[in-house]
Amino acid sequence: MATSQKERVNVEGHELTLTNLGKIIYPETGTTKAEVLEYYAAVAPFLIPAAANRPATRKRWVHGVGTTSDPGPMFFQKNLDDSTPPWVPRVTIQHREHSNVYPLVNNLATLTWLAQIAALEIHVPQWQVDADGTMLPPDRLVLDLDPGPGTGLPECAEVAKLARSILQDIGLDPVPVTSGSKGIHLYAGLDGTRKWEQVSAFAHELARSLEADHPDLVVSDMKKTLRNGKVLVDWSQNSGNKTTIVPYSLRGRAHPMVAAPRTWRELASPKLEHLDFTAVMKRVKEGKDPFAAVAAAKNDDDGGSPGAAGVSTAAVASTAVAATAVNPRLASYVDKRDPQRTPEPFPAVGHQPGSRPLQADAEPNPPGGIFVIQEHHARRFHLDFRLEHNGVLASWALPRGVPDTPDKNHLAVRTEDHPMEYAQFAGIIPKGEYGAGTVSIWDSGEFECEKWRDGKEVIATLTGKPGGGLHGTRRFALIHTGESPSQWLIHLMKDKPGHRAVLLPDSRPQSIGTPSYAPMLATSGTTADVSSGDWLFELKWDGFRAIVSGSGGKIRLTSRSGIDMTPTYPELADPRYWPDHDFVADGEIVALSKNGRPSFELLQKRMNLFKPGDVERARAAVPVHLMVFDLLYDAGSHGNAEKGSTEKGGADLTSLPLSERRDRLAAFRAKLPAKGSPIHVSEVLEHDLDDILASAEELGLEGVMAKRADSRYQPGRRSRSWIKLKLERTQEVVVGGWRPGAGARLGTIGALLVGIPDGDKLRYAGRVGTGFKDWQLRDILKRMQGLDRPDSPFHDIPAEDAATAHWVSPELVGEVTFGDWTGTERMRHPVWRGWRTDKSPDDVERA
C-alpha cells in the first residue's frame, strides 16, 4: 500500500480521494490508515458476502483508537450524512419513532470509503433487505459466547462445541468466529422461512438448555453477578433490532484485531487465540473462507457478488490501455491483461522514461542493459528470464530453470515482451487472470551482450546481485531451435576470454581436521512444487543452522556464515554425545518451550553469548537441542561412496543421493547415546503431505522441509532439490534505523526501519512495529548503542517514515514474518521474530 498522504483512486469506476494515509490509526502497533485500507481491500471478497444487503451500523475512530491506557474517542453512526458519495448503496429503515438511512456494504468501493472515514468496525443484523428495502426474515442465527471473569477463549471454545452438537442434531452446521474482543460468535445459516421473533426464541431456549445441562460452565442470564467463572450465551443478538460485528471486520481496540472465522480444528487447539489483521491477511491470501457456508445466500442484489474483481486501493485504477498508445512490442502484453484485475505494471503511454534508445534489430554487438529472472509460481513453477532490448524486456519462460552446467541445455519458451517496469515487479497475480500465481525476483542486475539476432540467437553475460540465484556472473546463450517462434534452448557457456565467473565458494576454512562445508540452502516453495517425483519430508525446525564437525575427539559447531558457535552452545559440543571417529553433520539448533515445541523467541536468549558465566546462566534457563538431518562426511563409513576416501579412510558423502545419506545417518544415529543427550536425528515422516502440513500447523511449527530422495548435497548452493514449505512467510532483514514509540512504548522503540542490501545501501523493505516483547525492546536498544549515524542508509525510504527516524549503521540482521510484497517492494505487515546473529548483512537476500 502506498503511504503518501493523499491519493486519488478509482475503485470499481468510482472516484475516491484517500487522505492522511500515513496517519497512525493504531498507535500501539504503528498501524496506519494506508494499512487499514489495504487490509479491507484484501478481505473484501470475504467480508462483502457476509455484509451484503444488510443495513450497516459503523463505529468510527476519526482520531485513531488511542492506546490501552488512553483510548481514542469513538462514536456510533447509523445515518448516512450529507457528505456520503451518491454511489454508495443505501436503504431507509423505519424504526418505531424515526427512520435512518444506512449504507449497504455491497462492493469494494463502499468498503474503501468506510475505511477512508475510519469506520473501523462494521456491525450488521442477521437479516437482509430486498431490492425495495423491505426487511427479510433472518438468514442466519448467532450466539455470542461471552467469557465472564475467570474464563477465556478455552471455555468459550468448550461451550461452542456443546452448542454445535445441539445445532447439528437439527440439521444446522455452525461456524465459529473468534470475535477479536473477548469471546466467540457462533453462526449458523438459516433458510429464511422463520421470523426473527421465532429465531430469537429458539436461540433463547438453546442458551437455557446449555445452562441447564452445564450449570458450572454456562449462564444465559445477562446479570453480571451471575457470570463469574462462566460463559454467557448471549442469544439476544438475534433480535430484529440488534446487530453483530460482521466477520472479517477490524476491531477498534489497542491492537488491530479482527472478528475472524475459524475452523473447528482450530477451536480444538490449545494455542487458540484471537487473530490480528496480519494473520487474517495471510489466511485470505490462501483463498479459504470458513464463513462461506453461512454467507452464501442472498448477496446477488444491489451490487452483486464482489468476486475477484476488486482493485487494490494502493494504486489508481485505469481503463484498459490501448495497444496503439504504447510501444508496439507490448501489444500482446497489454491484450492479455486487465489493469483493474492484476497488480502487474502497465507500460507508460508513449516513450518509456529511463529506457535505452532503440537498437537496430540486427546490431551485432548491442551494449546490453538490465536483466531480471523471476520465480513464477503459476500453474506450473518456472523461471521467467528477461533481458532489456529495444526499450522492452525480451522474455523467456524456463520450465526447468537456468542450467547449472554446460553439459545440459534447458528448454526456453519465448513469451511476449514485457514493459521495463516489470523488472521490479513482485506480487500475486489473482486467480483467473493470465499467469495467475506468485511472482518474486530470483536475481537481477546488468548484462553485457555479445550477440543479439532477433528470433535466432542471443549471447549475454549476466552479473547478478549478492545472494541472487545466479551466485555471481554467468554467461548464457539463447538459441532458437524449431519451427515455432517460441521454441528455444538456453545453454550455460564457458567464460568469455577476459571474464571470470564469480561464484559462491563451496567451502569455508576451518581449523578442525575434517573437510569443511558450507550448508546447502533450500528454496521456498509450495506443495505444487513437490507434487511429482520422490520426495522425503521432515519437520522444519525453527532455529539456527549448524554444521557440526568432529575430529580427534573435538567437536566444533559452525554457523551458516562460518562463525564458531561452540562456546555459545557447549552442551552440544560434549564429546560424550558423539561418535569417537571423525564426521561432519548438518542440523538445526533449537530451544524447546514447556510444551516441547521449538521456540525461536526462547532461542534468542541463548544467542551471542561467549563469556562462560553468561553462557552457564542462560544454559540453565534455556537448554538447547540439535536436530541432525544430514551426514556429509563419516570416517566410520565404509562402502561405495561415489567420491573417493580421504587419507584417514573416511568417505565424503555429499555426492550420494539423499536416500543413501539418510541410510548412513541411521547407522550414525545407532552410535549416539540413547538417553540424556541433546542430540537428536530429525525423522523422515512417512505420511501424506497434507496430513504432515496440517499436523505441523496444529503443533505451531514453522513448516515442512521437502527434499528430493535423489538429491546430492551441494555445499553453499541454493537448490530447488530442497523446498521449504512454510506455514508463514519469513524474511531476513538488516536494521537501518528506528522510530521512537508513543503511548505504552514512550521512551523506547515504536518501529524498526529495515531493508535488504542493494549495493552500498539498503533497499527499504518496510517498518516493523509489532511482535516485540518488552525484554526484546530493551535488548534492541542495547544492541544498537554505538551504531548511530547521521544519515539514512536506505536508497528510497518514504519521507513519512524518515521524519522521526534515528539512523544506525546497517550491521544487525533480524527476521520477520510478513504477509506479502507490495508493488513497491515493501513487506506487508511485517512482525518481528528476533535477531539472526548467525548471519551477516551479506547473507540477506529477498525471500
Side-chain angles (χ1 to χ4, degrees):
M1 163 63 81
T3 54
S4 58
Q5 292 298 304
K6 188 174 182 179
E7 187 172 334
R8 187 73 177 170
V9 299
N10 183 307
V11 184
E12 300 176 328
H14 302 297
E15 294 288 333
L16 293 89
T17 300
L18 307 180
T19 60
N20 299 318
L21 293 177
K23 182 177 181 177
I24 302 296
I25 301 297
Y26 293 87
E28 290 195 2
T29 59
T31 305
T32 64
K33 182 192 276 190
E35 290 173 309
V36 169
L37 282 158
E38 188 169 30
Y39 167 77
Y40 273 124
V43 301
F46 303 88
L47 184 151
I48 292 172
N53 297 324
R54 302 176 195 274
T57 300
R58 292 85 66 209
K59 283 187 177 182
R60 295 178 60 189
W61 283 264
V62 294
H63 301 296
V65 301
T67 64
T68 303
S69 58
D70 185 20
M74 178 276 295
F75 63 96
F76 270 95
Q77 189 168 13
K78 295 185 177 182
N79 256 324
L80 288 175
D81 50 38
D82 293 337
S83 63
T84 302
W87 44 260
V88 171
R90 63 199 71 195
V91 64
T92 301
I93 301 296
Q94 182 64 49
H95 298 289
R96 185 173 300 174
E97 298 178 358
H98 65 282
S99 63
N100 289 328
V101 180
Y102 295 84
L104 300 174
V105 188
N106 287 7
N107 52 55
L108 176 59
T110 298
L111 186 57
T112 303
W113 170 70
L114 290 173
Q116 156 61 24
I117 64 173
L120 301 180
E121 289 192 10
I122 301 169
H123 294 246
V124 298
Q126 312 317 315
W127 45 269
Q128 295 181 309
V129 294
D130 64 15
D132 297 323
T134 304
M135 174 182 174
L136 299 173
D139 58 349
R140 61 196 189 204
L141 173 147
V142 63
L143 298 175
D144 181 3
L145 310 181
D146 190 4
T151 62
L153 269 184
E155 289 78 13
C156 290
E158 185 177 353
V159 174
K161 294 172 194 173
L162 297 172
R164 182 193 190 193
S165 296
I166 297 174
L167 291 169
Q168 285 181 322
D169 287 343
I170 60 172
L172 300 179
D173 194 7
V175 173
V177 175
T178 47
S179 69
S181 176
K182 293 187 295 181
I184 293 174
H185 297 158
L186 196 62
Y187 286 88
L190 303 176
D191 61 9
T193 61
R194 301 287 190 275
K195 296 180 179 179
W196 71 257
E197 292 89 347
Q198 295 172 297
V199 174
S200 184
F202 169 78
H204 192 181
E205 187 57 35
L206 174 57
R208 283 194 289 222
S209 176
L210 287 168
E211 181 181 30
D213 291 341
H214 307 278
D216 295 330
L217 179 62
V218 177
V219 62
S220 63
D221 194 301
M222 303 288 182
K223 295 187 180 68
K224 291 185 177 181
T225 56
L226 302 176
R227 297 177 57 187
N228 283 341
K230 299 181 181 181
V231 174
L232 170 66
V233 179
D234 183 358
W235 50 271
S236 67
Q237 294 186 45
N238 296 283
S239 167
N241 301 317
K242 292 287 190 74
T243 61
T244 309
I245 191 166
V246 72
Y248 296 104
S249 172
L250 282 167
R251 281 287 194 176
R253 300 173 63 82
H255 287 246
M257 310 306 287
V258 174
R262 312 298 289 270
T263 66
W264 287 102
R265 186 172 191 168
E266 287 179 294
L267 241 65
S269 171
K271 294 183 64 177
L272 179 68
E273 58 184 1
H274 293 284
L275 300 180
D276 69 4
F277 77 123
T278 60
V280 174
M281 286 187 74
K282 291 180 184 178
R283 295 161 68 90
V284 302
K285 174 182 167 184
E286 298 173 357
K288 297 177 182 178
D289 180 16
F291 200 74
V294 177
K298 300 180 183 176
N299 62 351
D300 297 328
D301 299 328
D302 214 351
S305 172
V311 295
S312 169
T313 58
V316 179
S318 63
T319 58
V321 180
T324 56
V326 298
N327 188 325
R329 291 175 177 267
L330 298 176
S332 178
Y333 176 92
V334 170
D335 286 345
K336 293 178 177 180
R337 293 164 176 85
D338 181 343
Q340 299 207 40
R341 301 178 71 93
T342 176
E344 296 167 281
F346 271 72
V349 175
H351 178 68
Q352 296 183 18
S355 64
R356 302 174 190 268
L358 298 185
Q359 304 164 1
D361 288 352
E363 185 178 357
N365 291 295
I370 66 169
F371 81 88
V372 64
I373 303 175
Q374 289 157 314
E375 285 194 15
H376 195 166
H377 295 262
R379 184 168 56 89
R380 293 182 180 177
F381 172 84
H382 62 274
L383 293 182
D384 288 318
F385 189 95
R386 311 191 197 280
L387 303 175
E388 178 182 356
H389 184 59
N390 286 354
V392 298
L393 292 174
S395 300
W396 291 261
L398 310 181
R400 298 181 60 194
V402 296
D404 56 9
T405 172
D407 300 330
K408 195 170 186 179
N409 298 327
H410 285 182
L411 174 66
V413 180
R414 186 71 162 93
T415 61
E416 73 275 14
D417 292 332
H418 282 52
M420 292 294 294
E421 296 94 331
Y422 216 95
Q424 287 80 44
F425 174 66
I428 299 175
I429 303 172
K431 290 181 180 179
E433 300 306 307
Y434 177 77
T438 302
V439 177
S440 61
I441 296 177
W442 188 77
D443 207 343
S444 62
E446 296 189 352
F447 71 94
E448 297 179 22
C449 192
E450 297 175 46
K451 183 183 295 186
W452 194 301
R453 295 193 298 155
D454 270 351
K456 296 179 181 179
E457 181 183 17
V458 176
I459 300 178
T461 299
L462 282 61
T463 300
K465 296 192 180 301
L470 290 178
H471 302 286
T473 300
R474 296 292 183 97
R475 184 168 173 244
F476 294 101
L478 288 153
I479 307 162
H480 182 230
T481 61
E483 294 182 2
S484 168
S486 65
Q487 189 174 338
W488 292 60
L489 290 177
I490 183 169
H491 170 71
L492 177 64
M493 304 182 71
K494 294 181 179 179
D495 301 333
K496 182 182 177 184
H499 289 262
R500 181 173 62 87
V502 182
L503 303 178
L504 291 179
D506 282 348
S507 63
R508 303 177 189 268
Q510 291 182 311
S511 60
I512 204 161
T514 53
S516 58
Y517 302 89
M520 179 175 172
L521 306 177
T523 302
S524 295
T526 68
T527 54
D529 298 320
V530 298
S531 60
S532 61
D534 187 9
W535 295 84
L536 304 181
F537 301 110
E538 307 169 35
L539 294 177
K540 189 177 188 308
W541 301 104
D542 197 5
F544 286 164
R545 190 78 173 272
I547 295 292
V548 186
S549 302
S551 180
K554 294 183 179 180
I555 308 297
R556 182 180 182 185
L557 283 74
T558 307
S559 74
R560 171 178 160 178
S561 56
I563 298 172
D564 185 359
M565 299 189 294
T566 313
T568 304
Y569 306 103
E571 62 265 55
L572 303 181
D574 191 329
R576 295 177 301 168
Y577 300 138
W578 296 99
D580 56 8
H581 61 261
D582 291 2
F583 68 89
V584 181
D586 192 356
E588 191 96 353
I589 299 171
V590 298
L592 303 180
S593 62
K594 291 181 180 179
N595 59 15
R597 295 168 185 168
S599 170
F600 192 74
E601 179 186 334
L602 274 179
L603 189 58
Q604 297 285 299
K605 299 180 180 181
R606 284 296 306 269
M607 69 181 192
N608 211 34
L609 301 176
F610 298 98
K611 295 180 180 179
D614 293 341
V615 170
E616 285 305 310
R617 283 189 292 273
R619 178 178 173 179
V622 184
V624 295
H625 300 258
L626 181 72
M627 308 304 298
V628 180
F629 48 72
D630 216 324
L631 189 61
L632 315 184
Y633 173 88
D634 187 12
S637 176
H638 302 284
N640 55 0
E642 292 178 13
K643 275 190 178 180
S645 300
T646 71
E647 60 184 38
K648 293 186 178 183
D652 179 294
L653 309 180
T654 57
S655 64
L656 294 179
L658 174 61
S659 56
E660 291 190 37
R661 298 201 308 275
R662 290 294 311 200
D663 290 342
R664 304 293 181 98
L665 184 57
F668 182 85
R669 176 184 192 173
K671 302 170 187 175
L672 302 179
K675 294 183 179 180
S677 171
I679 312 303
H680 315 276
V681 171
S682 180
E683 301 287 350
V684 172
L685 304 174
E686 303 290 343
H687 298 285
D688 180 78
L689 178 57
D690 289 341
D691 291 338
I692 295 172
L693 287 168
S695 297
E697 183 173 16
E698 194 165 309
L699 292 171
L701 301 180
E702 188 181 7
V704 172
M705 289 296 305
K707 302 176 183 179
R708 290 190 66 94
D710 60 356
S711 62
R712 273 61 174 173
Y713 195 95
Q714 303 175 54
R717 301 294 295 272
R718 189 174 300 280
S719 171
R720 293 200 60 78
S721 294
W722 288 12
I723 300 291
K724 295 180 286 188
L725 303 174
K726 289 190 174 183
L727 295 172
E728 60 181 3
R729 198 166 182 179
T730 62
Q731 173 67 54
E732 292 156 10
V733 292
V734 179
V735 177
W738 59 282
R739 290 174 48 166
R745 289 195 189 170
L746 190 64
T748 183
I749 291 172
L752 292 176
L753 307 174
V754 301
I756 296 171
D758 183 11
D760 60 347
K761 287 193 172 185
L762 299 176
R763 185 171 73 252
Y764 186 57
R767 185 178 69 243
V768 187
T770 59
F772 304 109
K773 299 290 191 297
D774 289 342
W775 70 267
Q776 288 177 311
L777 291 171
R778 296 189 296 270
D779 175 70
I780 290 168
L781 277 176
K782 182 179 179 181
R783 288 180 185 276
M784 291 193 295
Q785 287 178 0
L787 297 180
D788 294 344
R789 58 181 278 170
D791 58 337
S792 167
F794 297 99
H795 285 298
D796 54 352
I797 188 167
E800 56 269 27
D801 284 359
T804 60
H806 298 255
W807 307 118
V808 297
S809 296
E811 301 177 17
L812 301 174
V813 177
E815 185 172 283
V816 300
T817 61
F818 68 108
D820 202 351
W821 292 100
T822 69
T824 55
E825 293 290 297
R826 310 283 193 264
M827 293 180 293
R828 286 190 173 97
H829 319 304
V831 178
W832 182 253
R833 294 194 75 226
W835 293 114
R836 294 302 311 228
T837 58
D838 57 330
K839 298 185 179 179
S840 70
D842 290 340
D843 295 321
V844 175
E845 58 186 39
R846 187 184 181 282

